[in-house]
Amino acid sequence: MFAVTATSFDPTNPLAGLTLGEVDDTVVPEGWVRVHVRAAALNHHDLWTLKGVGLKADRLPMILGTDAAGVLDDGTEVVVHGVIGDPLAGGGDETLDPGRTLLSELHPGTFAETVAVPQRNLVPKPSELSWAESACLPTAWLTAYRMLATKSGLRVGDTVLIQGAGGGVATAAIQIADAMGFQVWVTSRDEAKRVRAIDLGADAAFETGTRLPARVDAVIETVGEATWSHSLKALRPGGTIVVSGATSGPNPPADLARVYFLQLNVVGSTMGTRDELDSLVSLLVDTGVRPTIDATFPLADARQAFERLASGDVVGKLVLTNG
Ligand SMILES: NC(=O)c1ccc[n+]([C@@H]2O[C@H](COP(=O)([O-])OP(=O)(O)OC[C@H]3O[C@@H](n4cnc5c(N)ncnc54)[C@H](OP(=O)(O)O)[C@@H]3O)[C@@H](O)[C@H]2O)c1
């Protein structure tokens, strides 16, 4: 079958290790099912993999892709939950299973004609969402949903600051936070992205690092070093920063005095559970909110999609389609 594979790592030129072509057909282990992929969205995770972050060289070649929507052999339409983990091993939460992996970390990913996943990793695809929209949900949208709905402690009417408004998680967070009834403030380095964020539902958009008119109840942080200090300063006493990514670097100054003196909560978050994915799908069906798609490409043109992701000039999701 045709697949998009990481065949080597290069921290400075990640696309050098991107290989498109024929691979062996999907092996379906006992208790797993084959999904014929109709659409799969790109995530920064795929670039990290090509840079050699999170994957050991002995696992190459590896089919990339952490999320997808597709069809089972019997025609059932599904959204694929990309977290491979055992809820029992994580106290009822598979994302807390110490042995948890994402598709493309241990098991082949979704940028292929078919992918194998455990039976429990399937969520029914609603007819209201397109294939491309459904494919955006399991990684970036699920991550944003867990950050807001499960981790932030936000209540209706509270104010949330979302850093780096152009990113895949950030654009999802803007739309979900707006749908959940929060006051949504965003930052972006780019004027056009700030305008777009307002279009998506943000109540106010600020240049990155700008002093805000008031303190916020929670911050959604995926940018990392470039915005961490601003995130801590933006919080009200007792506020919560939920962090799920560090695109600009993972080691900003901790500013511990501010953390303890203002009793700030620093909360890590990664992906989400299958049940949270189910709830996210329901939220979208009920509210009419739909993922923002920057562009779609046929699977065979995946290199163009990766070039676009690497350029950073993206608002919303890049989606690969098949069939
Ligand atoms: N833990 C999880 O489960 C999980 C899931 C999904 C993603 N992630 C992580 O979350 C992060 C975000 O991923 P993504 O795909 O949503 O978006 P992304 O393409 O990595 O970009 C996020 C945003 O960061 C801002 N940014 C990047 N470099 C910056 C810099 N030097 N200074 C200021 N701002 C900068 C940009 O915002 P502006 O251009 O608007 O300023 C950009 O739109 C990644 O690190 C990814 O690995 C984690």
Side-chain angles (χ1 to χ4, degrees), residues 74-103:
D74 68 4
T76 307
E77 299 186 347
V78 297
V79 182
V80 171
H81 182 223
V83 179
I84 312 297
D86 178 1
L88 286 178
D93 179 335
E94 64 268 34
T95 69
L96 299 177
D97 172 359
R100 172 208 80 205
T101 63
L102 297 187
L103 287 173

PDB file of all heavy atoms in Angstrom, residues 74-103:
ATOM      1  N   ASP A  74     -16.284  -3.570   7.097  1.00  0.00           N
ATOM      2  CA  ASP A  74     -17.732  -3.763   6.921  1.00  0.00           C
ATOM      3  C   ASP A  74     -18.467  -2.467   6.554  1.00  0.00           C
ATOM      4  O   ASP A  74     -19.697  -2.427   6.524  1.00  0.00           O
ATOM      5  CB  ASP A  74     -18.346  -4.379   8.188  1.00  0.00           C
ATOM      6  CG  ASP A  74     -18.323  -3.416   9.381  1.00  0.00           C
ATOM      7  OD1 ASP A  74     -17.904  -2.246   9.212  1.00  0.00           O
ATOM      8  OD2 ASP A  74     -18.729  -3.825  10.487  1.00  0.00           O
ATOM      9  N   GLY A  75     -17.724  -1.387   6.309  1.00  0.00           N
ATOM     10  CA  GLY A  75     -18.337  -0.139   5.872  1.00  0.00           C
ATOM     11  C   GLY A  75     -18.655   0.850   6.990  1.00  0.00           C
ATOM     12  O   GLY A  75     -19.050   1.988   6.717  1.00  0.00           O
ATOM     13  N   THR A  76     -18.467   0.457   8.261  1.00  0.00           N
ATOM     14  CA  THR A  76     -18.736   1.366   9.378  1.00  0.00           C
ATOM     15  C   THR A  76     -17.788   2.572   9.312  1.00  0.00           C
ATOM     16  O   THR A  76     -16.577   2.408   9.124  1.00  0.00           O
ATOM     17  CB  THR A  76     -18.522   0.642  10.733  1.00  0.00           C
ATOM     18  OG1 THR A  76     -19.281  -0.558  10.737  1.00  0.00           O
ATOM     19  CG2 THR A  76     -18.936   1.526  11.891  1.00  0.00           C
ATOM     20  N   GLU A  77     -18.355   3.777   9.482  1.00  0.00           N
ATOM     21  CA  GLU A  77     -17.551   4.998   9.409  1.00  0.00           C
ATOM     22  C   GLU A  77     -17.087   5.400  10.809  1.00  0.00           C
ATOM     23  O   GLU A  77     -17.922   5.509  11.723  1.00  0.00           O
ATOM     24  CB  GLU A  77     -18.382   6.114   8.758  1.00  0.00           C
ATOM     25  CG  GLU A  77     -18.803   5.738   7.333  1.00  0.00           C
ATOM     26  CD  GLU A  77     -19.501   6.863   6.595  1.00  0.00           C
ATOM     27  OE1 GLU A  77     -19.887   7.866   7.236  1.00  0.00           O
ATOM     28  OE2 GLU A  77     -19.634   6.732   5.359  1.00  0.00           O
ATOM     29  N   VAL A  78     -15.789   5.603  10.974  1.00  0.00           N
ATOM     30  CA  VAL A  78     -15.232   5.810  12.318  1.00  0.00           C
ATOM     31  C   VAL A  78     -14.231   6.968  12.346  1.00  0.00           C
ATOM     32  O   VAL A  78     -13.635   7.328  11.339  1.00  0.00           O
ATOM     33  CB  VAL A  78     -14.513   4.537  12.829  1.00  0.00           C
ATOM     34  CG1 VAL A  78     -15.494   3.377  12.978  1.00  0.00           C
ATOM     35  CG2 VAL A  78     -13.347   4.151  11.904  1.00  0.00           C
ATOM     36  N   VAL A  79     -14.080   7.512  13.564  1.00  0.00           N
ATOM     37  CA  VAL A  79     -12.971   8.400  13.882  1.00  0.00           C
ATOM     38  C   VAL A  79     -12.002   7.568  14.720  1.00  0.00           C
ATOM     39  O   VAL A  79     -12.431   6.818  15.607  1.00  0.00           O
ATOM     40  CB  VAL A  79     -13.452   9.633  14.677  1.00  0.00           C
ATOM     41  CG1 VAL A  79     -12.287  10.568  14.956  1.00  0.00           C
ATOM     42  CG2 VAL A  79     -14.569  10.356  13.941  1.00  0.00           C
ATOM     43  N   VAL A  80     -10.710   7.689  14.430  1.00  0.00           N
ATOM     44  CA  VAL A  80      -9.700   6.864  15.106  1.00  0.00           C
ATOM     45  C   VAL A  80      -9.107   7.628  16.292  1.00  0.00           C
ATOM     46  O   VAL A  80      -8.597   8.738  16.130  1.00  0.00           O
ATOM     47  CB  VAL A  80      -8.574   6.490  14.121  1.00  0.00           C
ATOM     48  CG1 VAL A  80      -7.415   5.814  14.849  1.00  0.00           C
ATOM     49  CG2 VAL A  80      -9.112   5.593  13.014  1.00  0.00           C
ATOM     50  N   HIS A  81      -9.186   7.019  17.476  1.00  0.00           N
ATOM     51  CA  HIS A  81      -8.509   7.588  18.655  1.00  0.00           C
ATOM     52  C   HIS A  81      -7.061   7.103  18.625  1.00  0.00           C
ATOM     53  O   HIS A  81      -6.801   5.896  18.626  1.00  0.00           O
ATOM     54  CB  HIS A  81      -9.228   7.107  19.926  1.00  0.00           C
ATOM     55  CG  HIS A  81      -8.654   7.649  21.192  1.00  0.00           C
ATOM     56  ND1 HIS A  81      -8.461   6.881  22.311  1.00  0.00           N
ATOM     57  CD2 HIS A  81      -8.216   8.890  21.510  1.00  0.00           C
ATOM     58  CE1 HIS A  81      -7.932   7.630  23.269  1.00  0.00           C
ATOM     59  NE2 HIS A  81      -7.788   8.847  22.810  1.00  0.00           N
ATOM     60  N   GLY A  82      -6.120   8.039  18.604  1.00  0.00           N
ATOM     61  CA  GLY A  82      -4.723   7.678  18.340  1.00  0.00           C
ATOM     62  C   GLY A  82      -3.911   7.257  19.545  1.00  0.00           C
ATOM     63  O   GLY A  82      -2.736   6.905  19.407  1.00  0.00           O
ATOM     64  N   VAL A  83      -4.508   7.299  20.749  1.00  0.00           N
ATOM     65  CA  VAL A  83      -3.765   6.920  21.960  1.00  0.00           C
ATOM     66  C   VAL A  83      -3.888   5.412  22.175  1.00  0.00           C
ATOM     67  O   VAL A  83      -4.996   4.904  22.374  1.00  0.00           O
ATOM     68  CB  VAL A  83      -4.316   7.656  23.201  1.00  0.00           C
ATOM     69  CG1 VAL A  83      -3.547   7.234  24.454  1.00  0.00           C
ATOM     70  CG2 VAL A  83      -4.251   9.162  23.012  1.00  0.00           C
ATOM     71  N   ILE A  84      -2.766   4.708  22.135  1.00  0.00           N
ATOM     72  CA  ILE A  84      -2.779   3.269  22.386  1.00  0.00           C
ATOM     73  C   ILE A  84      -2.378   3.075  23.847  1.00  0.00           C
ATOM     74  O   ILE A  84      -1.211   3.243  24.217  1.00  0.00           O
ATOM     75  CB  ILE A  84      -1.792   2.521  21.462  1.00  0.00           C
ATOM     76  CG1 ILE A  84      -1.968   2.969  20.000  1.00  0.00           C
ATOM     77  CG2 ILE A  84      -1.972   1.024  21.613  1.00  0.00           C
ATOM     78  CD1 ILE A  84      -3.306   2.686  19.383  1.00  0.00           C
ATOM     79  N   GLY A  85      -3.369   2.771  24.682  1.00  0.00           N
ATOM     80  CA  GLY A  85      -3.102   2.633  26.111  1.00  0.00           C
ATOM     81  C   GLY A  85      -4.210   1.860  26.778  1.00  0.00           C
ATOM     82  O   GLY A  85      -5.297   1.703  26.216  1.00  0.00           O
ATOM     83  N   ASP A  86      -3.935   1.414  27.999  1.00  0.00           N
ATOM     84  CA  ASP A  86      -4.884   0.604  28.759  1.00  0.00           C
ATOM     85  C   ASP A  86      -5.457   1.470  29.885  1.00  0.00           C
ATOM     86  O   ASP A  86      -4.710   1.867  30.785  1.00  0.00           O
ATOM     87  CB  ASP A  86      -4.148  -0.620  29.328  1.00  0.00           C
ATOM     88  CG  ASP A  86      -5.060  -1.484  30.174  1.00  0.00           C
ATOM     89  OD1 ASP A  86      -6.252  -1.156  30.312  1.00  0.00           O
ATOM     90  OD2 ASP A  86      -4.558  -2.489  30.712  1.00  0.00           O
ATOM     91  N   PRO A  87      -6.768   1.773  29.864  1.00  0.00           N
ATOM     92  CA  PRO A  87      -7.339   2.607  30.926  1.00  0.00           C
ATOM     93  C   PRO A  87      -7.077   2.029  32.314  1.00  0.00           C
ATOM     94  O   PRO A  87      -6.807   2.795  33.259  1.00  0.00           O
ATOM     95  CB  PRO A  87      -8.840   2.615  30.615  1.00  0.00           C
ATOM     96  CG  PRO A  87      -8.956   2.265  29.176  1.00  0.00           C
ATOM     97  CD  PRO A  87      -7.786   1.388  28.860  1.00  0.00           C
ATOM     98  N   LEU A  88      -7.113   0.702  32.453  1.00  0.00           N
ATOM     99  CA  LEU A  88      -6.896   0.082  33.775  1.00  0.00           C
ATOM    100  C   LEU A  88      -5.501   0.397  34.296  1.00  0.00           C
ATOM    101  O   LEU A  88      -5.304   0.632  35.480  1.00  0.00           O
ATOM    102  CB  LEU A  88      -7.087  -1.436  33.687  1.00  0.00           C
ATOM    103  CG  LEU A  88      -8.539  -1.907  33.564  1.00  0.00           C
ATOM    104  CD1 LEU A  88      -8.593  -3.424  33.441  1.00  0.00           C
ATOM    105  CD2 LEU A  88      -9.358  -1.426  34.752  1.00  0.00           C
ATOM    106  N   ALA A  89      -4.520   0.437  33.387  1.00  0.00           N
ATOM    107  CA  ALA A  89      -3.134   0.721  33.793  1.00  0.00           C
ATOM    108  C   ALA A  89      -2.944   2.199  34.142  1.00  0.00           C
ATOM    109  O   ALA A  89      -1.925   2.577  34.729  1.00  0.00           O
ATOM    110  CB  ALA A  89      -2.179   0.318  32.680  1.00  0.00           C
ATOM    111  N   GLY A  90      -3.920   3.038  33.776  1.00  0.00           N
ATOM    112  CA  GLY A  90      -3.827   4.468  34.062  1.00  0.00           C
ATOM    113  C   GLY A  90      -4.887   4.926  35.044  1.00  0.00           C
ATOM    114  O   GLY A  90      -5.268   6.105  35.026  1.00  0.00           O
ATOM    115  N   GLY A  91      -5.375   4.030  35.890  1.00  0.00           N
ATOM    116  CA  GLY A  91      -6.381   4.426  36.884  1.00  0.00           C
ATOM    117  C   GLY A  91      -7.666   4.889  36.235  1.00  0.00           C
ATOM    118  O   GLY A  91      -8.327   5.801  36.743  1.00  0.00           O
ATOM    119  N   GLY A  92      -8.026   4.310  35.097  1.00  0.00           N
ATOM    120  CA  GLY A  92      -9.264   4.683  34.415  1.00  0.00           C
ATOM    121  C   GLY A  92      -9.042   5.671  33.280  1.00  0.00           C
ATOM    122  O   GLY A  92      -9.989   6.072  32.616  1.00  0.00           O
ATOM    123  N   ASP A  93      -7.799   6.072  33.062  1.00  0.00           N
ATOM    124  CA  ASP A  93      -7.479   7.081  32.043  1.00  0.00           C
ATOM    125  C   ASP A  93      -6.303   6.561  31.225  1.00  0.00           C
ATOM    126  O   ASP A  93      -5.172   6.506  31.712  1.00  0.00           O
ATOM    127  CB  ASP A  93      -7.117   8.394  32.749  1.00  0.00           C
ATOM    128  CG  ASP A  93      -6.753   9.512  31.794  1.00  0.00           C
ATOM    129  OD1 ASP A  93      -6.321   9.237  30.653  1.00  0.00           O
ATOM    130  OD2 ASP A  93      -6.884  10.683  32.188  1.00  0.00           O
ATOM    131  N   GLU A  94      -6.572   6.159  29.989  1.00  0.00           N
ATOM    132  CA  GLU A  94      -5.501   5.545  29.193  1.00  0.00           C
ATOM    133  C   GLU A  94      -4.348   6.494  28.900  1.00  0.00           C
ATOM    134  O   GLU A  94      -3.234   6.040  28.623  1.00  0.00           O
ATOM    135  CB  GLU A  94      -6.056   4.964  27.887  1.00  0.00           C
ATOM    136  CG  GLU A  94      -6.659   5.952  26.902  1.00  0.00           C
ATOM    137  CD  GLU A  94      -8.160   6.129  27.105  1.00  0.00           C
ATOM    138  OE1 GLU A  94      -8.628   6.062  28.261  1.00  0.00           O
ATOM    139  OE2 GLU A  94      -8.862   6.351  26.085  1.00  0.00           O
ATOM    140  N   THR A  95      -4.595   7.814  28.967  1.00  0.00           N
ATOM    141  CA  THR A  95      -3.472   8.740  28.722  1.00  0.00           C
ATOM    142  C   THR A  95      -2.469   8.691  29.875  1.00  0.00           C
ATOM    143  O   THR A  95      -1.349   9.173  29.730  1.00  0.00           O
ATOM    144  CB  THR A  95      -3.948  10.199  28.530  1.00  0.00           C
ATOM    145  OG1 THR A  95      -4.443  10.702  29.772  1.00  0.00           O
ATOM    146  CG2 THR A  95      -5.016  10.307  27.460  1.00  0.00           C
ATOM    147  N   LEU A  96      -2.893   8.140  31.032  1.00  0.00           N
ATOM    148  CA  LEU A  96      -1.995   8.034  32.190  1.00  0.00           C
ATOM    149  C   LEU A  96      -1.365   6.649  32.310  1.00  0.00           C
ATOM    150  O   LEU A  96      -0.621   6.388  33.264  1.00  0.00           O
ATOM    151  CB  LEU A  96      -2.761   8.379  33.483  1.00  0.00           C
ATOM    152  CG  LEU A  96      -3.332   9.795  33.528  1.00  0.00           C
ATOM    153  CD1 LEU A  96      -4.125  10.015  34.820  1.00  0.00           C
ATOM    154  CD2 LEU A  96      -2.225  10.840  33.420  1.00  0.00           C
ATOM    155  N   ASP A  97      -1.650   5.756  31.370  1.00  0.00           N
ATOM    156  CA  ASP A  97      -0.985   4.451  31.319  1.00  0.00           C
ATOM    157  C   ASP A  97       0.502   4.702  31.073  1.00  0.00           C
ATOM    158  O   ASP A  97       0.860   5.313  30.061  1.00  0.00           O
ATOM    159  CB  ASP A  97      -1.611   3.628  30.168  1.00  0.00           C
ATOM    160  CG  ASP A  97      -0.860   2.323  29.908  1.00  0.00           C
ATOM    161  OD1 ASP A  97       0.151   2.058  30.587  1.00  0.00           O
ATOM    162  OD2 ASP A  97      -1.303   1.587  29.008  1.00  0.00           O
ATOM    163  N   PRO A  98       1.395   4.251  31.985  1.00  0.00           N
ATOM    164  CA  PRO A  98       2.835   4.490  31.774  1.00  0.00           C
ATOM    165  C   PRO A  98       3.337   3.919  30.449  1.00  0.00           C
ATOM    166  O   PRO A  98       4.332   4.400  29.911  1.00  0.00           O
ATOM    167  CB  PRO A  98       3.494   3.765  32.958  1.00  0.00           C
ATOM    168  CG  PRO A  98       2.419   3.605  33.977  1.00  0.00           C
ATOM    169  CD  PRO A  98       1.121   3.502  33.238  1.00  0.00           C
ATOM    170  N   GLY A  99       2.628   2.924  29.912  1.00  0.00           N
ATOM    171  CA  GLY A  99       3.049   2.328  28.645  1.00  0.00           C
ATOM    172  C   GLY A  99       2.358   2.929  27.434  1.00  0.00           C
ATOM    173  O   GLY A  99       2.484   2.417  26.316  1.00  0.00           O
ATOM    174  N   ARG A 100       1.643   4.033  27.641  1.00  0.00           N
ATOM    175  CA  ARG A 100       0.887   4.666  26.552  1.00  0.00           C
ATOM    176  C   ARG A 100       1.788   5.087  25.389  1.00  0.00           C
ATOM    177  O   ARG A 100       2.895   5.583  25.608  1.00  0.00           O
ATOM    178  CB  ARG A 100       0.228   5.929  27.142  1.00  0.00           C
ATOM    179  CG  ARG A 100      -0.427   6.820  26.129  1.00  0.00           C
ATOM    180  CD  ARG A 100      -0.427   8.263  26.618  1.00  0.00           C
ATOM    181  NE  ARG A 100       0.849   8.936  26.428  1.00  0.00           N
ATOM    182  CZ  ARG A 100       1.270   9.960  27.131  1.00  0.00           C
ATOM    183  NH1 ARG A 100       0.545  10.449  28.099  1.00  0.00           N
ATOM    184  NH2 ARG A 100       2.444  10.523  26.890  1.00  0.00           N
ATOM    185  N   THR A 101       1.300   4.882  24.175  1.00  0.00           N
ATOM    186  CA  THR A 101       1.981   5.458  23.009  1.00  0.00           C
ATOM    187  C   THR A 101       0.930   6.072  22.085  1.00  0.00           C
ATOM    188  O   THR A 101      -0.268   5.813  22.241  1.00  0.00           O
ATOM    189  CB  THR A 101       2.763   4.407  22.196  1.00  0.00           C
ATOM    190  OG1 THR A 101       1.843   3.450  21.661  1.00  0.00           O
ATOM    191  CG2 THR A 101       3.810   3.713  23.033  1.00  0.00           C
ATOM    192  N   LEU A 102       1.383   6.883  21.157  1.00  0.00           N
ATOM    193  CA  LEU A 102       0.504   7.395  20.099  1.00  0.00           C
ATOM    194  C   LEU A 102       0.801   6.613  18.836  1.00  0.00           C
ATOM    195  O   LEU A 102       1.937   6.147  18.633  1.00  0.00           O
ATOM    196  CB  LEU A 102       0.804   8.874  19.808  1.00  0.00           C
ATOM    197  CG  LEU A 102       0.579   9.886  20.909  1.00  0.00           C
ATOM    198  CD1 LEU A 102       0.767  11.288  20.352  1.00  0.00           C
ATOM    199  CD2 LEU A 102      -0.787   9.719  21.506  1.00  0.00           C
ATOM    200  N   LEU A 103      -0.193   6.470  17.994  1.00  0.00           N
ATOM    201  CA  LEU A 103       0.060   5.896  16.677  1.00  0.00           C
ATOM    202  C   LEU A 103       1.273   6.605  16.079  1.00  0.00           C
ATOM    203  O   LEU A 103       1.420   7.830  16.227  1.00  0.00           O
ATOM    204  CB  LEU A 103      -1.155   6.083  15.773  1.00  0.00           C
ATOM    205  CG  LEU A 103      -2.362   5.192  16.090  1.00  0.00           C
ATOM    206  CD1 LEU A 103      -3.554   5.605  15.232  1.00  0.00           C
ATOM    207  CD2 LEU A 103      -2.041   3.716  15.881  1.00  0.00           C
TER     208      LEU A 103
END
